Amino acid sequence: MFSVKSNIQQLTVLMLKAGITQVVVCPGSRNAAIVHTFHAAGMQCYDVTDERSAGFFAIGLMEANGGKPVAVCVTSGSAVLNLAPAVSEAYYRSFPLMVISADRPLRWIGQMDGQTLPQQGAFGFLVSKSVSLPEPQNEEEQWHCNRLLNEVLIEMQRTHKPVHVNVPIAEPLFDFSAESLPKCRSMEWVRGGGNLFQLSDSQQAVWQRAEKVLVLIGQMLPAEVAACALLLSQLAKQHCLICAEHLSNVQTVMDERHCYIGNFDEMLASHAFESPDLLITIGGHIVSKLLKQHMRTNPPQWHWHVSPQGEVADLFMCCTTLVEAQPKALLSALCAAEQQRSAQRKTYRLAMMANADAAHEKEQWEDEFCDLSALRMVMKDLSALWHLQVANSSMIRNVQLLNFSNPLHCNRGVNGIEGSVSVAVGYWAGSGAPTLLLTGDLSFFYDKNGLWNKYVQNPSAPLRILVMNNRGGQIFHHLQGLDSPYLEKSIAAQHDTTAQGVAMECRAQYLCADSAAELELALKEFLDEAPTVKILEVMTDVQANLKAHKAFFRAFSN
């Protein structure tokens, strides 16, 4: 019989899957449930009373077993700190020592409760990773606990350094009524060498079995994706489906647009997106919220995530293999590998491409003047010479709905609204390329000092800034359930500011449009190639934007 605590159960299962069967255990009440479960699971437990000695005892076990991981488990409080000398020794000898500390719930730390101190991070730089597990109460917390454990086990495998797993346990402590341990996801970690990569045996088996393969490309720089362009085209010819948002910059390097799907939201809104058997993700951030929701509720059987630095990112909550390699290396290996499901993959790919075409033919929004229709006018005949910088929030989401092939950049690392103007000016100054910034009002005004520098005063190439001014944070009006009388004033930051004064301060030419006719006229002057700075402010209405947004999704629900 095992402890009923799910964090202890997951810890035990994943340790066994990782081959960690030797544990040095120290006495205590808070860690009793962990020790009991380790014994019940058949682990080889060594009893050592003094924690200062227990850590070094574990090092001795690793010396004897050839350097395989060994765990040491202690109770809460100062018992944890007594392991520090042994942890430091393991760190500098590259021994994979797994420190497991039981803990009180966070709410009791610093409240004069017995044997409590801040335990996570107690070893500082002497461990390669330190995590504190949640006490799961729902499915998402179960996933979080599982992800943290996989992260720490992968990090120990990658670095051969000590790691620290802190396990908060609330009372009651001693319920050992669980008859079995649960099934838990264990992530495989596969490392390549530079630009060389070889599929593992398990990956080879999956590659042969998968009938529906999707390669999903997140945010990448144009040069990064250019290195993969030929390989992506080859995989498309081998009937793998390629999906890429504009942030991927795939549109700048793949000549045949029908080789990939670039707009997920049209398909997802029309329920025409079918999850693959095998999902392979490369690159960085994905904008589409609909895609994230779909993949989390309809997960693929296998998900390989390519992480050049070996960092775990489990965006869709279903990662099965972490590939530590450059994207080009994995794609090369896939192109070279024999695949036995060509006919099935062709059927899936052709069906999805047809669904994408059908979804794109539907009416996307109504014709009244709004953010979407105005942006469509701007992008409709945009010259290829323009390099795009796009602000976060509504703007980057709206841009994703349009077709174009210009290079695109956006601050998706943290997805904040700050810095959009400064990054655009820095890119413009550093590249010398004609640069077009597409931004909402809040992002623009927040970073207006980005125009306060000598480069803007002495332009050598065209810099254009399109400000979509709907007088507040438009995206807050689209959030379901946000029905507050304070929405406009305190949440969406309603305002009456315009960009005209900013344009005067930085001596930029100012243009303004509040109708389709005015915008069409202004664009002719705005998008010329003169080496100047111009700001075009497009005034739109909140209600018109909401109406258009609803019309977009209504078109696909019919």
Side-chain angles (χ1 to χ4, degrees):
M1 303 291 280
F2 308 94
S3 170
V4 297
K5 303 292 185 181
S6 60
N7 53 5
I8 297 176
Q9 293 177 356
Q10 287 209 51
L11 170 66
T12 305
V13 171
L14 291 180
M15 285 175 64
L16 290 172
K17 285 188 174 184
I20 305 174
T21 58
Q22 292 182 302
V23 186
V24 181
V25 298
C26 301
S29 59
R30 189 62 52 166
N31 67 329
I34 304 176
V35 173
H36 173 97
T37 301
F38 285 170
H39 273 289
M43 291 184 175
Q44 187 175 5
C45 296
Y46 296 86
D47 306 306
V48 177
T49 301
D50 189 328
E51 291 89 2
R52 293 169 299 178
S53 176
F56 286 103
F57 189 99
I59 290 176
L61 290 175
M62 283 185 280
E63 289 176 340
N65 69 19
K68 296 178 182 179
V70 170
V72 56
C73 178
V74 300
T75 193
S76 65
S78 57
V80 183
L81 303 180
N82 284 317
L83 290 173
V87 169
S88 64
E89 176 70 12
Y91 182 86
Y92 285 107
R93 292 182 64 186
S94 295
F95 277 155
L97 176 66
M98 186 177 192
V99 175
I100 301 167
S101 57
D103 199 2
R104 260 68 169 176
L106 180 61
R107 57 188 174 271
W108 285 109
I109 307 302
Q111 299 305 305
M112 296 191 293
D113 197 23
Q115 290 182 290
T116 59
L117 54 83
Q119 293 182 192
Q120 185 181 7
F123 300 108
F125 293 108
L126 296 176
V127 293
S128 60
K129 194 168 188 66
S130 175
V131 301
S132 188
L133 303 182
E135 295 188 82
Q137 303 298 319
N138 54 49
E139 186 175 345
E140 185 170 326
E141 290 175 354
Q142 292 280 10
W143 162 78
H144 185 205
C145 183
N146 175 269
R147 193 202 78 207
L148 290 175
L149 285 167
N150 273 289
E151 284 181 10
V152 82
L153 289 168
I154 286 174
E155 190 66 14
M156 185 167 62
Q157 187 179 0
R158 288 181 67 245
T159 63
H160 286 273
K161 298 285 188 180
V163 294
H164 178 202
V165 179
N166 193 55
V167 189
I169 307 171
E171 296 186 10
L173 302 177
F174 311 124
D175 185 346
F176 305 134
S177 60
E179 296 183 359
S180 63
L181 293 172
K183 293 182 178 180
C184 298
R185 174 190 59 160
S186 177
M187 292 186 197
E188 179 187 21
W189 169 69
V190 184
R191 171 185 275 171
N195 288 321
L196 299 177
F197 183 80
Q198 185 173 358
L199 298 178
S200 67
D201 291 342
S202 62
Q203 285 181 300
Q204 287 278 9
V206 169
W207 185 244
Q208 302 296 345
R209 292 175 57 190
E211 297 183 358
K212 297 177 289 185
V213 179
L214 167 58
V215 179
L216 177 61
I217 309 172
Q219 184 173 23
M220 298 182 76
L221 293 173
E224 292 174 327
V225 74
C228 303
L230 292 177
L231 296 169
L232 291 170
S233 297
Q234 186 175 342
L235 285 174
K237 292 176 182 177
Q238 293 180 1
H239 310 306
C240 294
L241 181 66
I242 311 296
C243 286
E245 289 183 321
H246 288 310
L247 275 177
S248 70
N249 283 297
V250 164
Q251 71 275 6
T252 66
V253 298
M254 293 188 74
D255 295 331
E256 298 181 43
R257 189 162 190 82
H258 201 67
C259 284
Y260 67 96
I261 296 174
N263 189 345
F264 312 134
D265 285 356
E266 288 178 343
M267 296 179 66
L268 290 159
S270 60
H271 306 289
F273 194 99
E274 182 182 355
S275 288
D277 300 326
L278 170 60
L279 170 66
I280 302 170
T281 51
I282 66 175
H285 291 256
I286 297 293
V287 174
S288 175
K289 188 174 182 179
L290 287 178
L291 182 68
K292 297 171 189 176
Q293 292 172 337
H294 176 86
M295 286 297 186
R296 290 168 185 173
T297 54
N298 302 277
Q301 186 173 355
W302 303 284
H303 175 199
W304 300 350
H305 177 62
V306 181
S307 174
Q309 306 304 321
E311 297 173 347
V312 176
D314 192 17
L315 177 64
F316 302 124
M317 305 174 71
C318 59
C319 183
T320 54
T321 301
L322 181 73
V323 179
E324 185 173 347
Q326 293 297 325
K328 182 179 179 180
L330 174 66
L331 297 178
S332 296
L334 295 178
C335 288
E338 181 183 0
Q339 53 101 358
Q340 301 175 352
R341 294 290 185 268
S342 179
Q344 296 91 332
R345 292 179 187 178
K346 182 177 181 180
T347 299
Y348 171 67
R349 182 178 181 276
L350 292 180
M352 291 289 282
M353 298 299 289
N355 290 346
D357 289 341
H360 188 63
E361 289 299 318
K362 291 190 176 184
E363 183 64 32
Q364 295 185 10
W365 50 75
E366 297 180 356
D367 289 333
E368 66 178 290
F369 193 64
C370 63
D371 284 2
L372 286 169
S373 61
L375 193 57
R376 178 172 57 176
M377 290 178 63
V378 175
M379 303 297 290
K380 183 179 179 182
D381 299 313
L382 190 66
S383 167
L385 67 88
W386 292 102
H387 290 222
L388 299 181
Q389 290 278 342
V390 183
N392 271 309
S393 204
S394 295
M395 186 59 75
I396 188 62
R397 287 173 168 80
N398 289 343
V399 164
Q400 175 58 24
L401 302 178
L402 305 173
N403 289 324
F404 57 89
S405 58
N406 304 70
L408 181 147
H409 303 271
C410 179
N411 293 348
R412 293 302 291 181
V414 186
N415 305 356
I417 67 168
E418 66 274 7
S420 58
V421 178
S422 297
V423 169
V425 173
Y427 180 87
W428 169 67
S431 67
T435 302
L436 171 60
L437 169 62
L438 305 174
T439 177
D441 47 359
L442 295 187
S443 186
F444 174 75
F445 293 127
Y446 196 93
D447 192 31
K448 63 183 180 181
N449 278 354
L451 297 172
W452 183 25
N453 57 67
K454 65 179 181 180
Y455 305 102
V456 174
Q457 303 303 323
N458 300 284
S460 57
L463 174 63
R464 303 292 182 262
I465 301 174
L466 178 86
V467 182
M468 202 70 71
N469 191 343
N470 44 53
R471 300 172 180 83
Q474 178 68 43
I475 197 169
F476 296 104
H477 294 275
H478 299 305
L479 300 180
Q480 294 183 355
L482 182 53
D483 183 17
S484 169
Y486 312 108
L487 173 60
E488 297 287 359
K489 177 178 180 294
S490 299
I491 299 174
Q494 187 179 38
H495 65 87
D496 294 314
T497 309
T498 73
Q500 186 171 10
V502 179
M504 291 178 62
E505 287 179 358
C506 66
R507 287 179 282 179
Q509 183 178 347
Y510 175 77
L511 303 166
C512 185
D514 60 7
S515 69
E518 289 185 1
L519 178 58
E520 185 174 2
L521 183 63
L523 284 174
K524 296 177 181 179
E525 185 176 0
F526 180 66
L527 292 176
D528 65 17
E529 299 181 20
T532 57
V533 180
K534 297 183 181 182
I535 298 175
L536 171 56
E537 187 167 28
V538 180
M539 302 293 190
T540 62
D541 179 71
V542 170
Q543 294 306 316
N545 289 326
L546 283 172
K547 186 177 180 182
H549 184 268
K550 292 177 180 177
F552 169 77
F553 287 99
R554 186 167 60 248
F556 295 109
S557 62
N558 296 331

